Amino acid sequence: MTSNRIQQSLANLFGKHRILFWYDSKQELREEYEALALPGVEKIELCNNEYAVKHRILREQPTQKFLLYRYDQQPDALDNWLLDVQLAHGEFRTDQTAIWLADLELGLEFADLVNQHIEFFQAGVRKNTLKKLLANDDTPSMVRMKILAVCAGSEPRLDSILEHLLEELVDGCEDSINLIERSGLNAFLWQQMSRYYGYQSTDPSIRDFVIELFKSCYAMGTDGIVQLSNDALVFLKRWKDSRSFTKGFEYWSNQCAAVLGIEQDLAKRDFRTLVELDYFELIDRKIISDLVREVVARTVSTGDVVLWVRQRRQGYWYSRYQDLYAAIEYAALFIQQLAETSLVSPNLSKAVQLYSTQWFKLDQLYRKTVFHARKSGQISLMGPLLEQVENLYTNNFLLKLGDDFQGFVDGISQWEALPVRRQNQFFDHYVQPYLRREQRVCVIISDAMRYEIGDELLSLINQEDRYSAELEPMLSMLPSYTQLGMAALLPNTSLQIADNETATVLVDGQSSMGTDNRNKILKKALNDRGEAITADNLLNMNQIESRELLKRNDVIYIYHNRIDHTGDKMHSEGEAFEAAEQTLQDLLRLVKKLVGANASSILITADHGFIYQDRAIDESDFAVADVQGEQILYRDRRFVLGKGLKPHASLHSLSPEQLALEGEVQVQLPKSINRLRLKGSGSRFVHGGATLQEVVVPVLRVSKARQSDVSRVEVDILGSASSVITSSQLGIALYQKEPVTDKIQSLQLRAGIYTQDGELISDCHELTFDFTSSNSRERELQVRFLLSAESDKANGQEVILRLEEKHAGTTHYQTYKTRSYTLRRSFTGDFDF
């Protein structure tokens, strides 16, 4: 040991002790002793002067620091006059153990600990890492825990050590476990596992522990035999919720499920008893499989289905199955709402109003069911439920509504549904008021965005901060096809279907086919202060370009085409609902793009709606008629244009005068939801006819406020009879003060019980408050906390229930609300009797 090393080690030890003894038992360090000079420290050599030295260091100079050196080994205890002083202070040693202790600034009382774990201290890197973790008040047990942590590369907590060891095993690596064994720490590790988690085994191992962990925690939630303590469940929940160890948790969960025969056990259980458990992925599969059967059999209430799906949303595996859960929930809601909805209407106008206030929701629920089922990729699993929904939708809703509405269409003398405006009045009724107020207005037209999609867009816009929207219905022109709908939305005094085979529509004599022609019509009507542009071109503009576009125009028409572009092709018509979902995001982007370019008034509408059925169309759904007439100009699945068209029982004929059109082109429509046979054309996605789904289109007025108008729901901790915790569990009730709406949004909180020093002493819960019920009782959430063994240290003290809210876009939390409790646990509270 060099002089510098001795100097440094002594300096460190004198930071803790006033008196140090140095026995030079090999009689080889006298020169180092004599050369030693420590500021504030007096050196005394012991040589038959012990009594005098004792009087001096204890009586004469009670505050002075002394180094007492003996050029010999330590005397026997009976002959050592200074033994009491030595035991009360410290000893400086120069063997390897002493060197390590000195480097770590640990006292000689840790010598046995070091000697028991020699292998660990032989690596300087490990020793230096340990030194950073050590504290002045560490006990031998605490030091060993920190040595374990260094071996595992973790924090000095048993749960963290286990997480790292389990993660390492996933990759087939046992370096840390082997190091723990070589370092002589196995006995300590299993002692701690027994103390904290109740784990005991004649042949303990990490693999054996993790199997027992999943077994016991699963048993706690069912009716099995529990071998481990509640702390094991707290550990499993923390491990499961840790984003750093997802690979390890999922691997061991699946491995243990196979070892424990979880699939076979789940087969005999009622899924209702499992909705709060999420330790195995198989639990979600069991619940989903059973839910599908129960909803098909109608043996569960829709309210229960919604509740169960909401509970599963908090689970670990939910993200993998969220589309399946969503499809089941939407299907249950569809079945219930269809059963509770009367589809009776006295006339055409009332039918349009009822559709725009009530009936459209069935189309929306059907679309969401099909979309999420297809997105899940589990069509075989969802087959029975989808078949039932499809049958109900087609036969009990779409066909019935179509047949009833056809009766009103057959009796009209003029195509109108007052007070709902007809589409050719759009510019005068919706756009002109802005111009009269000298306000700029942007019109977004999304091809085939039917009314129910507009309703969902309404909600999405209103959820955005400082954005607000209003929705009302508009009646499309007949036939409900793109060329006529787009023409009707332009400023016009007359609309005429061209007397040729193109189905082009003339606006005041000008062709409206394509963006260029619509641009010309706008410029002419608005004295060059109007412009038409595609959505893609607008989105590709930078901010300067988009602002210039708005500055030079009073009216801008933006044409968006995703739903019709997808659905009108035979090879892609089955993707119509996927296109609808993407359309919602497209339109939100367009709205924000326009607002960013200083637009303050935006209208969003569509040219027509559509009918969609997810399965292949039966022969009975095709009109039997072979269309005949003097001249057939154009035919599609849902309409025919021509002259001298011959009447037929399965077709309804309309004159241009009835449809507010100029010219001589007549229109024939297949009745109800029937299609015309047309080679090379899709038949599941169609439009052009007179069903409510085709002719009721949305008009949204969008505006931007200057001040924030979005808030989050408030959550209270409900009072209980006692603020004293007397057992290992605490149950509380949390109350969401108001229902979630578009402008009052959901809140996500993290909840746990902490000591005054901020140490978590319970399991932690991620909670979502998104209740929409107006019934206050249905907005309460019961939460049960399990206290860990660490809570024993806080017994008799005040602890804190803390609700924390996550900072948006970060991993950091801030305190939302707290409530204090006194922890007063009796030893009898640990018993179940």
Side-chain angles (χ1 to χ4, degrees):
M1 194 172 186
T2 65
S3 297
N4 288 340
R5 193 77 173 271
I6 291 173
Q7 179 102 4
Q8 183 61 48
S9 296
L10 284 167
N12 290 339
L13 286 170
F14 273 114
K16 298 181 179 180
H17 304 286
R18 183 173 74 89
I19 302 169
L20 287 175
F21 289 76
W22 179 3
Y23 296 105
D24 188 0
S25 56
K26 295 183 179 180
Q27 298 183 339
E28 58 187 10
L29 297 173
R30 179 177 287 279
E31 290 183 10
E32 284 78 0
Y33 166 72
E34 291 176 349
L36 189 68
L38 291 171
V41 177
E42 288 192 25
K43 299 191 298 182
I44 301 177
E45 183 173 350
L46 298 176
C47 184
N48 297 320
N49 57 349
E50 285 84 351
Y51 183 77
V53 169
K54 190 171 188 177
H55 186 272
R56 177 182 173 187
I57 63 178
L58 296 181
R59 296 290 187 181
E60 295 178 4
Q61 295 175 274
T63 60
Q64 175 64 42
K65 291 183 178 181
F66 291 97
L67 175 61
L68 307 182
Y69 172 80
R70 181 184 177 92
Y71 187 62
D72 199 352
Q73 61 186 2
Q74 180 177 336
D76 293 337
L78 291 175
D79 298 326
N80 190 350
W81 287 41
L82 295 172
L83 181 59
D84 57 337
V85 180
Q86 181 180 323
L87 293 174
H89 293 274
E91 180 184 353
F92 172 63
R93 294 167 56 177
T94 56
D95 56 27
Q96 185 61 66
T97 299
I99 293 170
W100 287 336
L101 289 172
D103 288 346
L104 294 168
E105 300 179 25
L106 288 173
L108 286 175
E109 64 271 21
F110 290 95
D112 287 343
L113 181 150
V114 172
N115 289 329
Q116 290 169 16
H117 310 298
I118 290 292
E119 174 75 17
F120 175 85
F121 293 97
Q122 288 178 345
V125 173
R126 292 197 293 265
K127 186 156 51 62
N128 291 335
T129 304
L130 174 62
K131 184 175 181 179
K132 295 175 183 177
L133 299 175
L134 294 175
N136 290 334
D137 57 351
D138 278 344
T139 64
S141 180
M142 294 165 67
V143 172
R144 285 190 174 91
M145 186 66 75
K146 292 177 179 179
I147 295 173
L148 273 177
V150 174
C151 291
S154 70
E155 296 178 40
R157 303 190 324 269
L158 187 58
D159 59 348
S160 178
I161 292 166
L162 281 174
E163 287 168 346
H164 281 80
L165 294 178
L166 288 164
E167 194 80 7
E168 186 179 78
L169 281 174
V170 173
D171 298 322
C173 177
E174 297 189 16
D175 291 351
S176 296
I177 293 173
N178 290 336
L179 176 59
I180 289 170
E181 185 174 355
R182 293 198 313 272
S183 299
L185 286 161
N186 267 1
F188 176 76
L189 173 61
W190 302 124
Q191 179 190 36
Q192 298 305 304
M193 297 284 280
S194 175
R195 174 190 169 195
Y196 281 92
Y197 304 131
Y199 172 67
Q200 294 180 344
S201 172
T202 55
D203 187 19
S205 70
I206 296 297
R207 288 183 175 86
D208 184 66
F209 166 75
V210 76
I211 293 171
E212 188 57 55
L213 174 70
F214 277 98
K215 180 181 178 181
S216 285
C217 291
Y218 180 65
M220 291 178 193
T222 53
D223 53 5
I225 298 173
V226 178
Q227 299 287 353
L228 303 184
S229 67
N230 278 349
D231 265 55
L233 180 57
V234 173
F235 165 68
L236 182 63
K237 288 185 174 183
R238 288 191 191 178
W239 181 30
K240 174 172 61 70
D241 294 337
S242 172
R243 294 186 178 182
S244 302
F245 300 101
T246 55
K247 183 174 74 171
F249 173 77
E250 292 178 10
Y251 172 83
W252 288 113
S253 173
N254 292 329
Q255 291 287 308
C256 293
V259 171
L260 298 171
I262 296 300
E263 183 174 0
Q264 294 76 15
D265 184 79
L266 289 172
K268 62 188 180 185
R269 295 190 182 276
D270 188 324
F271 76 93
R272 295 166 182 80
T273 66
L274 303 169
V275 291
E276 293 185 3
L277 304 182
D278 66 343
Y279 312 133
F280 303 107
E281 186 174 3
L282 287 169
I283 294 175
D284 282 270
R285 295 187 178 188
K286 160 73 174 176
I287 291 172
I288 289 168
S289 179
D290 286 3
L291 268 179
V292 169
R293 284 193 291 270
E294 297 269 5
V295 173
V296 169
R298 304 192 197 182
T299 52
V300 290
S301 72
T302 300
D304 283 340
V305 173
V306 172
L307 177 62
W308 291 328
V309 170
R310 189 183 185 284
Q311 286 178 287
R312 296 311 296 170
R313 206 179 304 163
Q314 313 293 329
Y316 181 87
W317 310 94
Y318 175 78
S319 60
R320 296 190 183 184
Y321 298 98
Q322 58 185 340
D323 286 302
L324 284 171
Y325 281 119
I328 293 168
E329 181 176 1
Y330 283 123
L333 289 167
F334 170 82
I335 293 169
Q336 179 192 35
Q337 185 152 332
L338 180 60
E340 296 176 351
T341 300
S342 169
L343 299 177
V344 176
S345 173
N347 54 53
L348 186 146
S349 293
K350 185 63 176 177
V352 169
Q353 292 176 52
L354 284 169
Y355 181 81
S356 64
T357 55
Q358 300 176 31
W359 298 342
F360 78 88
K361 294 182 186 297
L362 288 161
D363 284 311
Q364 192 176 76
L365 290 170
Y366 170 74
R367 173 173 62 85
K368 302 297 278 187
T369 300
V370 173
F371 168 75
H372 285 288
R374 290 171 63 94
K375 189 179 176 186
S376 75
Q378 300 294 328
I379 300 302
S380 296
L381 169 65
M382 295 296 293
L385 183 55
L386 285 177
E387 182 178 3
Q388 184 176 93
V389 168
E390 190 71 34
N391 287 336
L392 289 171
Y393 178 74
T394 298
N395 300 320
N396 294 22
F397 177 64
L398 193 61
L399 181 58
K400 184 180 187 315
L401 200 62
D403 288 349
D404 290 350
F405 193 66
Q406 185 64 49
F408 301 135
V409 175
D410 290 345
I412 65 168
S413 58
Q414 189 75 21
W415 176 241
E416 60 184 4
L418 294 175
V420 174
R421 297 283 175 169
R422 194 174 55 215
Q423 201 170 37
N424 61 332
Q425 301 168 334
F426 173 80
F427 190 87
D428 289 342
H429 182 72
Y430 290 102
V431 178
Q432 280 288 7
Y434 291 102
L435 299 180
R436 285 194 289 269
R437 295 193 296 268
E438 297 185 349
Q439 293 177 347
R440 182 187 298 114
V441 61
C442 299
V443 179
I444 301 172
I445 303 168
S446 184
D447 203 330
M449 182 182 71
R450 67 183 183 183
Y451 188 83
E452 56 92 2
I453 300 171
D455 175 78
E456 187 172 353
L457 179 62
L458 171 74
S459 180
L460 291 175
I461 292 173
N462 281 332
Q463 288 173 35
E464 296 287 333
D465 192 21
R466 296 190 295 159
Y467 286 81
S468 61
E470 297 175 347
L471 171 66
E472 59 185 78
M474 181 169 65
L475 186 70
S476 82
M477 302 296 286
L478 281 183
S480 53
Y481 74 109
T482 298
Q483 291 301 321
L484 182 54
M486 292 297 185
L489 293 168
L490 292 164
N492 67 86
T493 54
S494 70
L495 298 173
Q496 179 180 341
I497 298 175
D499 192 354
N500 56 42
E501 297 179 351
T502 65
T504 301
V505 178
L506 307 179
V507 176
D508 300 336
Q510 163 76 45
S511 171
S512 60
M513 174 88 69
T515 307
D516 289 342
N517 282 323
R518 295 166 195 164
N519 190 52
K520 292 176 184 177
I521 293 170
L522 280 171
K523 287 188 176 298
K524 180 179 179 181
L526 295 160
N527 298 318
D528 286 331
R529 294 289 296 173
E531 192 165 340
I533 186 173
T534 66
D536 287 341
N537 285 344
L538 176 62
L539 290 172
N540 287 330
M541 288 181 174
N542 59 36
Q543 190 176 64
I544 295 175
E545 292 169 335
S546 59
R547 287 184 173 179
E548 284 299 319
L549 173 69
L550 265 69
K551 283 182 182 177
R552 65 176 180 262
N553 291 290
D554 296 325
V555 179
I556 301 166
Y557 272 44
I558 302 104
Y559 292 95
H560 174 268
N561 185 8
R562 186 180 294 276
I563 299 173
D564 200 64
H565 180 75
T566 302
D568 254 353
K569 297 181 176 62
M570 184 189 297
H571 70 275
S572 63
E573 66 174 350
E575 300 168 12
F577 286 170
E578 286 83 348
E581 292 288 328
Q582 185 58 53
T583 289
L584 293 169
Q585 300 308 313
D586 291 348
L587 297 179
L588 268 180
R589 286 180 61 206
L590 283 169
V591 167
K592 292 180 179 180
K593 179 83 173 183
L594 290 169
V595 170
N598 295 329
S600 58
S601 301
I602 301 170
L603 296 170
I604 306 174
T605 190
D607 51 349
H608 56 77
F610 62 87
I611 300 172
Y612 179 85
Q613 292 166 265
D614 195 50
R615 69 181 175 195
I617 304 304
D618 294 333
E619 281 294 315
S620 60
D621 290 326
F622 288 93
V624 295
D626 181 16
V627 178
Q628 295 180 356
E630 295 175 11
Q631 189 178 13
I632 307 299
L633 296 174
Y634 186 89
R635 61 182 293 161
D636 206 329
R637 286 288 190 188
R638 290 285 288 159
F639 69 98
V640 177
L641 303 177
K643 294 183 179 179
L645 298 176
K646 292 185 178 181
H648 192 283
S650 63
L651 302 173
H652 181 67
S653 299
L654 292 158
S655 69
E657 291 80 15
Q658 288 177 293
L659 301 175
L661 298 174
E662 303 291 329
E664 300 177 356
V665 175
Q666 294 175 297
V667 175
Q668 276 190 339
L669 307 175
K671 292 189 175 183
S672 187
I673 64 171
N674 293 331
R675 282 85 157 159
L676 294 170
R677 290 180 174 85
L678 189 65
K679 189 176 180 180
S681 173
S683 58
R684 293 154 65 195
F685 175 97
V686 292
H687 59 87
T691 63
L692 287 162
Q693 288 82 359
E694 294 168 288
V695 302
V696 179
V697 295
V699 178
L700 288 91
R701 291 186 176 94
V702 183
S703 58
K704 179 78 180 291
R706 294 185 177 182
Q707 295 182 334
S708 175
D709 60 355
V710 168
S711 62
R712 298 204 178 277
V713 294
E714 288 190 45
V715 173
D716 281 342
I717 305 169
L718 294 184
S720 60
S722 174
S723 60
V724 178
I725 303 174
T726 58
S727 69
S728 60
Q729 299 183 18
L730 173 66
I732 65 161
L734 300 174
Y735 172 60
Q736 179 184 306
K737 294 175 69 173
E738 59 271 297
V740 164
T741 65
D742 288 338
K743 290 301 183 184
I744 304 176
Q745 298 182 358
S746 63
L747 179 65
Q748 289 188 313
L749 297 176
R750 183 174 69 179
I753 300 174
Y754 296 80
T755 65
Q756 292 285 355
D757 295 330
E759 181 183 1
L760 179 64
I761 56 172
S762 73
D763 54 344
C764 199
H765 296 265
E766 300 283 343
L767 306 171
T768 300
F769 293 90
D770 58 358
F771 299 108
T772 57
S773 174
S774 57
N775 185 338
S776 60
R777 288 185 175 273
E778 294 177 358
R779 299 198 303 274
E780 286 187 21
L781 184 64
Q782 303 293 326
V783 184
R784 182 169 59 94
F785 295 92
L786 293 175
L787 296 179
S788 67
E790 293 297 317
S791 65
D792 291 342
K793 300 175 184 176
N795 202 17
Q797 300 176 20
E798 186 179 83
V799 295
I800 300 168
L801 166 63
R802 193 160 77 209
L803 305 182
E804 297 176 306
E805 182 179 7
K806 194 174 189 179
H807 281 289
T810 75
T811 58
H812 298 282
Y813 287 81
Q814 64 182 2
T815 299
Y816 178 75
K817 282 184 181 177
T818 63
R819 186 178 180 194
S820 297
Y821 292 84
T822 299
L823 184 59
R824 192 175 296 148
R825 292 175 57 190
S826 165
F827 71 91
T828 58
D830 296 325
F831 291 85
D832 294 325
F833 55 84

